[in-house]
Amino acid sequence: MPESASERVLILDFGSQFTQLIARRVRESGVYCEIWPFNAEPGRIASFGARALILSGGPASVIEGDAPQVPDAVFAAGVPVLGICYGEQAMCAALGGTVEGGHAREFGRAVLEVTDECALFRGVWMPGARPEVWMSHGDRVTRLPPGFRAVGVSEGAPFAAIADEARRYYGVQFHPEVVHTANGAALLRNFTHEIAGCRGAWTMAGFAETEISRIRAEVGEGRVVCGLSGGVDSAVTAALVHRAIGQRLTCIFVDHGLLRAGEADEVAATFRDRFNIRLVHRDASEVFLKALAGIDDPERKRKTIGRLFVEVFEEEARKLGGADYLAQGTLYPDVIESVSPAGGPSVTIKSHHNVGGLPERMGFKLLEPLRELFKDEVRALGRTLGLPETIIGRHPFPGPGLAIRIPGPVDEGKLGVLRRADAIFIEEIRAANLYDSIWQAFAVLLPVRTVGVMGDGRSYEHALALRAVTSTDGMTADAYPFPASFLARVAARIVNEVPGINRVTYDVTSKPPGTIEWE
């Protein structure tokens, strides 16, 4: 644990879709935190040494008999506690208050009326303020536990914000972690810095220094292999491990033939030439295309690609004469989702990840230096390590690559068409200086052909969809509002320059949460 992370906050997860956002906001203020399931061992909670505890929201109802409960270890810790949404309700129920259902529900934007001062609101909201907040609840607190007082109300929650400042316990019915809540990040900072006394000294430079020392101590004189995919996560993993052990790291870049135009050459040049990292570049595109022939189902595609990647990687690793460790770019969201007590669809969404390691037959010890970081923190670490912005700032790109941007069977012809069209789209975005304003942009080769008239004759070619989304935190996304002139220019170039396409459609609708394709 970095010394800068000695002041740490523990978040207990009750299953909210926003739990990761709480951690992101806390870390953005320079305070190290972790997310654990609500039913973590009491002794483990005590030994973590948290300066403060945060209870997340969740989908359950406190009034149901089997609802998740706040562990006694939370109140025995003697540190500040903040309950958010379900966390507020569960805290009140545990301390002698009353929670009821059947009242007016609040979902989405709501107005909080600040009725009294408290340390949580200091410098953020004064009594009488009416900030907009984000609600997501059906039940509500109807009687406070002893020692609490109301400091905020809303139309559907008479105790929308509560405080027991003697014990430093606070609760809010709304979600301060989402961007829709005005000054929500400042409110969380008040809790961690002013109430819990954290200084906010956790930095990526400190993390890098500590992690490099930890890798050296763990690996000793051993050898490490790392699988490069062309994405940010594996690139930063490789750079960090190389900084720790130098030429005892060998990277294996399995080129599955599903990358964007020029990406394979860029990855090889960056790591072999710029960083002088030992690199094995295996062109396995024929193997992957043969295995994908005729596969229509997207989940089968993902699993086929994942299986082949392991097999090819294993084959190349054996040629090296043995290694002791496998370095893998597992991130903290993958770890959280793999152990969430609330379940959920993450096992399907993340089916191309190998959280927890690869098959035992490979005989490697696992090295996951990024497993405590979020994506934005990985990018910050990459910049600290000197990786080029062309890699660090690259839009998220899924592990299965272009294969999942071609609904239906994949073949070399379709890949060629999509790769050329996608390159034009990204080229025009960069030329218009829009790349860094967009979270993710890509083209999709639709599984339909359309009749069109090109020149003096009819054509029967593919239709192409263009998608670009913006996102503040990667949890929700909206379509990027391209000017009509930009879209017309891109469409004209693609139709004129890419044989096989005669129609281009634009994605101009807002997207619900969870629609971003993760790397």
Side-chain angles (χ1 to χ4, degrees):
M1 186 76 66
E3 185 176 341
S4 58
S6 60
E7 299 175 341
R8 65 197 77 160
V9 169
L10 180 60
I11 301 167
L12 294 184
D13 179 22
F14 288 88
S16 170
Q17 63 176 317
F18 300 132
T19 301
Q20 292 184 26
L21 287 184
I22 303 172
R24 290 169 67 93
R25 299 295 171 257
V26 171
R27 288 189 180 186
E28 285 168 1
S29 69
V31 177
Y32 181 80
C33 67
E34 292 187 15
I35 298 172
W36 292 4
F38 71 88
N39 55 359
E41 295 271 344
R44 186 175 174 226
I45 293 175
S47 65
F48 184 70
R51 282 288 187 93
L53 289 149
I54 298 177
L55 312 177
S56 84
S61 173
V62 171
I63 61 180
E64 295 176 354
D66 58 351
Q69 304 295 317
V70 180
D72 292 338
V74 168
F75 306 117
V79 299
V81 180
L82 172 63
I84 296 175
C85 195
Y86 181 91
E88 181 203 48
Q89 297 172 8
M91 179 170 63
C92 286
L95 296 174
T98 302
V99 179
E100 296 179 357
H103 298 278
R105 301 185 304 170
E106 286 183 305
F107 289 94
R109 288 181 171 85
V111 174
L112 174 75
E113 181 182 347
V114 179
T115 58
D116 203 353
E117 294 181 346
C118 74
L120 196 63
F121 293 165
R122 190 169 298 139
V124 181
W125 298 323
M126 295 289 291
R130 294 177 59 83
E132 188 175 79
V133 297
W134 188 264
M135 293 283 195
S136 181
H137 69 97
D139 300 341
R140 69 184 188 186
V141 178
T142 56
R143 182 173 64 86
L144 291 178
F148 282 87
R149 61 189 173 91
V151 294
V153 302
S154 69
E155 184 176 347
F159 302 113
I162 60 175
D164 177 344
E165 296 196 288
R167 289 183 288 183
R168 297 183 295 173
Y169 292 170
Y170 301 85
V172 292
Q173 188 61 71
F174 56 90
H175 289 272
E177 68 272 24
V178 305
V179 296
H180 305 82
T181 292
N183 297 315
L187 186 148
L188 287 170
R189 191 182 191 283
N190 265 359
F191 179 70
T192 56
H193 289 63
E194 304 303 323
I195 296 171
C198 297
R199 295 167 299 167
W202 190 67
T203 65
M204 276 300 103
F207 175 87
E209 181 179 345
T210 302
E211 192 63 21
I212 288 169
S213 297
R214 188 193 67 79
I215 293 170
R216 284 174 181 159
E218 180 175 349
V219 174
E221 295 302 315
R223 297 169 61 190
V224 179
V225 292
C226 175
L228 285 179
S229 67
V232 176
D233 305 339
S234 62
V236 174
T237 297
L240 185 65
V241 175
H242 183 257
R243 184 74 65 88
I245 64 171
Q247 294 304 307
R248 284 182 289 118
L249 166 70
T250 300
C251 290
I252 300 175
F253 176 35
V254 178
D255 182 358
H256 51 29
L258 305 171
L259 296 174
R260 284 172 156 172
E263 285 188 335
D265 292 338
E266 181 183 5
V267 170
T270 297
F271 286 91
R272 181 178 287 146
D273 302 336
R274 177 168 177 170
F275 287 93
N276 193 31
I277 293 177
R278 296 178 62 187
L279 178 68
V280 175
H281 181 182
R282 167 72 182 274
D283 182 355
S285 54
E286 289 187 13
V287 175
F288 281 83
L289 283 177
K290 183 178 179 180
L292 290 170
I295 296 179
D296 181 85
D297 180 69
E299 188 64 10
R300 280 191 61 201
K301 286 184 190 177
R302 287 180 179 273
K303 290 182 176 179
T304 298
I305 293 167
R307 173 180 57 80
L308 283 176
F309 184 91
V310 171
E311 291 175 0
V312 175
F313 182 91
E314 185 178 13
E315 181 182 330
E316 294 300 324
R318 282 199 300 266
K319 295 177 183 177
L320 297 175
D324 305 288
Y325 289 84
L326 167 68
Q328 183 170 284
T330 302
L331 302 192
Y332 200 35
D334 306 324
V335 176
I336 296 166
E337 289 165 0
S338 69
V339 298
S340 173
S346 61
V347 81
T348 297
I349 296 171
K350 297 283 186 177
S351 60
H352 60 286
H353 283 276
N354 291 299
V355 179
L358 294 176
E360 292 184 6
R361 68 173 185 272
M362 298 184 73
F364 296 124
K365 298 175 185 176
L366 196 59
L367 197 63
E368 296 176 308
L370 310 184
R371 65 181 286 117
E372 295 173 351
L373 302 184
F374 291 100
K375 175 72 79 173
D376 53 337
E377 294 171 330
V378 172
R379 295 187 194 279
L381 176 60
R383 293 185 178 99
T384 299
L385 296 171
L387 283 169
E389 197 63 30
T390 52
I391 288 180
I392 294 303
R394 181 180 293 160
H395 291 172
F397 189 65
L402 298 180
I404 58 169
R405 293 176 182 170
I406 301 176
V410 176
D411 58 47
E412 193 168 358
K414 290 180 182 178
L415 284 169
V417 170
L418 178 57
R419 193 174 280 119
R420 293 175 66 181
D422 186 80
I424 291 172
F425 186 31
I426 300 302
E427 180 183 315
E428 288 291 336
I429 287 174
R430 289 190 182 279
N433 293 318
L434 300 176
Y435 191 85
D436 293 334
S437 300
I438 296 170
W439 175 269
Q440 186 183 54
F442 56 86
V444 176
L445 194 64
L446 299 178
V448 295
R449 290 176 180 262
T450 63
V451 176
V453 177
M454 301 181 71
D456 297 322
R458 283 187 174 184
S459 65
Y460 184 58
E461 305 290 358
H462 289 287
L464 185 86
L466 302 179
R467 184 173 177 209
V469 297
T470 61
S471 180
T472 301
D473 46 39
M475 299 298 289
T476 59
D478 289 304
Y480 185 82
F482 284 119
S485 57
F486 174 88
L487 293 172
R489 181 169 64 253
V490 173
R493 278 199 62 190
I494 291 174
V495 169
N496 287 328
E497 298 178 29
V498 184
I501 294 176
N502 67 3
R503 187 182 300 271
V504 177
T505 65
Y506 319 130
D507 182 346
V508 294
T509 58
S510 294
K511 298 296 177 185
T515 59
I516 293 176
E517 288 190 31
W518 293 97
E519 181 179 2

